[in-house]
Amino acid sequence: MTDLILLKHELLLTALLLIFILMKLGKDISNSSFLKMSNALLLINFIIGFFGNQHGQMFASMFQTNELMALQKNMLNGGLLLISLSSSRWLNNHIHLPEFFMLIVATLLGMFFMISSNNLLVFYLALELATIPLAALCSFDLDKRQSSEAGMKMIMSSAFASGILLMGISLVYGVTGTLAFTEMSSLIASDHLTVFALILLFAGFAFKLSVVPFHLWTADVYEGSPVAVTSYLSVISKGAMVFVFTSVLYQVFKPMQEVMYQLIYIGAVLSMTIGNLFAMRQQNIKRFLAFSSIAQVGFILTGISGFSHTGAASATFFILVYVFSNMAAFAVAGIVSSAIGRETIDDYKGFYRTNPFLSWVLAIALFSLAGIPPTAGFFGKFFLLSAGAAKGNYVLITIAALNMIISLYYYLRIVRAMFMDKNETPIGSVNLSFNERAAIIICIAGILISGIWNGPFHTIHHSVTEAFSITPF
Amino acid sequence: MTLTVFYLLSALSVFSGLMVVLSRKAVHSVLYLVFCFFTIAGHYLMLNAQFLAAVHVIVYAGAIMVLFLFVIMMLNLNLAAEAQKTPWIKISAVILSGLMLLVLVASVKGAEELSAAQPQNDIGLVKNIGNILFDKYLLPFELISLLLLSAMVGAVLMGRKEPQPQNE
């Protein structure tokens, strides 16, 4: 079994899961030392992820991996490490710290298998593995009603989405007679039944990505969950779904590009517009970030709609940028929420007077999310839009550009509140621990470096995508 | 003979499935669902899948439905406690699901007929299922074990009211 190295990422995470269980069962460890150990383990896991990546297939070609998938998995690994670092204050005070890591590693494992799946059965199981523990994580603030409501909504809506997805899968199986992606793509013809199955599959994906007609669970779940879980949901979970979506779409449904394009077109326009319009009205910072993430998914869909290597590469690059930017924003929101317990946007008025460092971090993160030039967000969106423009549909690109302007308004509203508005009772000054500081600095460095010096990053993504994704159309 | 049994079982399972939805008392629904599971187990038997039939009866009709019954009895559901829905919600639900059915039927009707798979009479035997489960479908099988493990961790976490300090 020399090819076990193909399973490296997954085996490492399984080992981590077992280690966490053993640590929980063993002697009582104080939270702070548990946190130190788990951060070290996650760091090791992240570093090993970069070495010895190969491409190939395993398990009767139900599992496939290549350098692009390894890159995507490394990004997700890094994101998990950042979340663990930046929410160390909340984690430190939580009674069930080991369970948090068990569950979150299990979901990440599900996402890895999802990315690597080459078979609808494995894909579905991995999706469930990535979702069910996540619902438990949503209700992780066990004494808050809102949090259990979030968990309940999460499990209900994802069960519904899974139902739709399963119906799509069964129809696809009925039409093609196979579950393997590679065999499926050659057997798919665009008759009505396949189109219907495709729409059902798309709906299942759209639920998880919270594309607009299927976004109704997002805001409530994001608001109720603890901030660490919210950032995990909006960055890691969504990133993994985008990766899978791109590969399934480009690989399996290649013959049905036209139908798919219509679906993505509608989804992208609705997500951008409605996400932006609702984001303007939000008062709670987590709800605000939830709607902003819906709008960001619209931009990602715009890029994917290009159906090209550029589309896939830009989506991957954008997720990298998005990991850094959203993670920085959520880190600040999470630190403030767990130190002071305040979450509305009005509370951030006068934030600059008491916490200049954190306000600059939040400002840079929001600049990047809005797409203002020196930050990476600008290039992320620029690549996405130019990939989308390759298809020649300038209506979509115009709508996207208009939406970027709307989004500037509401992102800058928070910046104005922090720097200019006066507040009688501003948020008190917050002392940052080493972990939090490290996470924030990594995020900011990521935003600035991949923005100013983005050439190499984009080239890497481009060449890896070119080499391993998907034969050209 | 087989065909008669098949039609009988199918009619019974469709009937009990409808009654699950239509009965007004939750306990009746659950009992009809148990019955529905038994008829489906009968279908499995007719496909010569004894193992699947046995597991279906033990796990679904036995364990899971008994849990359902317990929960429903503990909640003490009655008609008054049922959530009231406005007529608009009912009408729009009927229209939407009717449209969904229409699209589904139309698209199935237009589809080409696939050639039926070769019947394999011994596919459902325990030995063959074991062979295929630990050979071709090893990865999904192992994935399920991880899924159950993490679901258990989550359920224990949420089900425990007061976190007790560990004694040992």
Side-chain angles (χ1 to χ4, degrees), chain A residues 89-90 333-342 427-431 436:
Chain A
R89 187 185 303 251
W90 176 73
I335 290 166
V336 169
S337 157
S338 55
I340 318 249
R342 285 158 71 170
I427 294 170
S429 156
V430 181
N431 288 319
E436 291 165 342

Side-chain angles (χ1 to χ4, degrees), chain A residues 25 83 369:
Chain A
L25 294 177
I83 286 178
L369 284 172

Side-chain angles (χ1 to χ4, degrees), chain B residues 127-157:
Chain B
K127 192 179 168 196
N128 294 330
I129 287 188
N131 272 340
I132 201 163
L133 207 55
F134 288 99
D135 180 32
K136 192 181 170 199
Y137 289 95
L138 180 64
L139 180 68
F141 183 76
E142 298 292 340
L143 257 182
I144 288 175
S145 71
L146 283 169
L147 176 59
L148 289 178
L149 175 69
S150 56
M152 193 173 70
V153 171
V156 169
L157 173 82

Side-chain angles (χ1 to χ4, degrees), chain A residues 296-337:
Chain A
Q296 306 280 351
V297 168
F299 288 108
I300 296 175
L301 286 184
T302 311
I304 292 177
S305 76
F307 283 103
S308 55
H309 295 312
T310 335
S314 334
T316 315
F317 179 68
F318 186 79
I319 293 293
L320 177 73
V321 173
Y322 188 65
V323 167
F324 288 134
S325 335
N326 229 12
M327 209 68 96
F330 272 115
V332 175
I335 290 166
V336 169
S337 157

Side-chain angles (χ1 to χ4, degrees), chain B residues 11-63:
Chain B
L12 280 176
S13 55
V14 169
F15 167 74
S16 51
L18 277 176
M19 287 311 284
V20 174
V21 189
L22 295 176
S23 353
R24 298 201 64 93
K25 285 189 180 157
V27 178
H28 289 187
S29 289
V30 172
L31 291 177
Y32 275 115
L33 197 55
V34 173
F35 187 65
C36 185
F37 283 149
F38 270 107
T39 53
I40 289 173
H43 278 296
Y44 286 141
L45 274 183
M46 287 182 60
L47 292 169
N48 209 6
Q50 290 96 337
F51 178 67
L52 210 54
V55 167
H56 196 77
V57 169
I58 294 170
V59 175
Y60 281 87

Side-chain angles (χ1 to χ4, degrees), chain A residues 275-406:
Chain A
N276 274 333
L277 292 182
F278 276 85
M280 281 200 274
R281 303 177 43 209
Q282 299 308 319
Q283 282 308 312
N284 181 297
I285 188 128
K286 273 148 79 185
R287 272 188 102 79
F288 164 79
L289 286 171
F291 280 104
S292 112
S293 80
I294 293 175
Q296 306 280 351
V297 168
F299 288 108
I300 296 175
L301 286 184
T302 311
I304 292 177
S305 76
F307 283 103
S308 55
H309 295 312
T310 335
S314 334
T316 315
F317 179 68
F318 186 79
I319 293 293
L320 177 73
V321 173
Y322 188 65
V323 167
F324 288 134
S325 335
N326 229 12
M327 209 68 96
F330 272 115
V332 175
I335 290 166
V336 169
S337 157
S338 55
I340 318 249
R342 285 158 71 170
E343 288 183 352
T344 67
I345 290 177
D346 280 344
D347 290 334
Y348 282 83
K349 283 181 179 166
F351 193 47
Y352 179 65
R353 287 178 189 282
T354 48
N355 296 290
F357 176 67
L358 283 182
S359 350
W360 273 113
V361 171
L362 190 52
I364 293 175
L366 292 173
F367 282 147
S368 176
L369 284 172
I372 292 175
T375 57
F378 170 74
F379 295 98
K381 283 211 175 120
F382 177 71
F383 292 137
L384 279 178
L385 292 197
S386 51
K391 196 90 178 172
N393 185 344
Y394 292 105
V395 180
L396 178 58
I397 305 305
T398 316
I399 295 173
L402 285 177
N403 269 302
M404 280 183 73
I405 299 170
I406 302 177

Side-chain angles (χ1 to χ4, degrees), chain B residues 89-149:
Chain B
I89 293 183
K90 285 183 186 167
I91 292 172
S92 45
V94 167
I95 292 176
L96 276 179
S97 39
L99 281 175
M100 180 89 173
L101 181 70
L102 194 71
V103 174
L104 181 60
V105 169
S107 54
V108 169
K109 202 165 166 288
E112 288 175 46
E113 210 167 299
L114 268 184
S115 52
Q118 289 296 315
Q120 284 167 293
N121 284 329
D122 54 349
I123 195 79
L125 300 176
V126 182
K127 192 179 168 196
N128 294 330
I129 287 188
N131 272 340
I132 201 163
L133 207 55
F134 288 99
D135 180 32
K136 192 181 170 199
Y137 289 95
L138 180 64
L139 180 68
F141 183 76
E142 298 292 340
L143 257 182
I144 288 175
S145 71
L146 283 169
L147 176 59
L148 289 178
L149 175 69

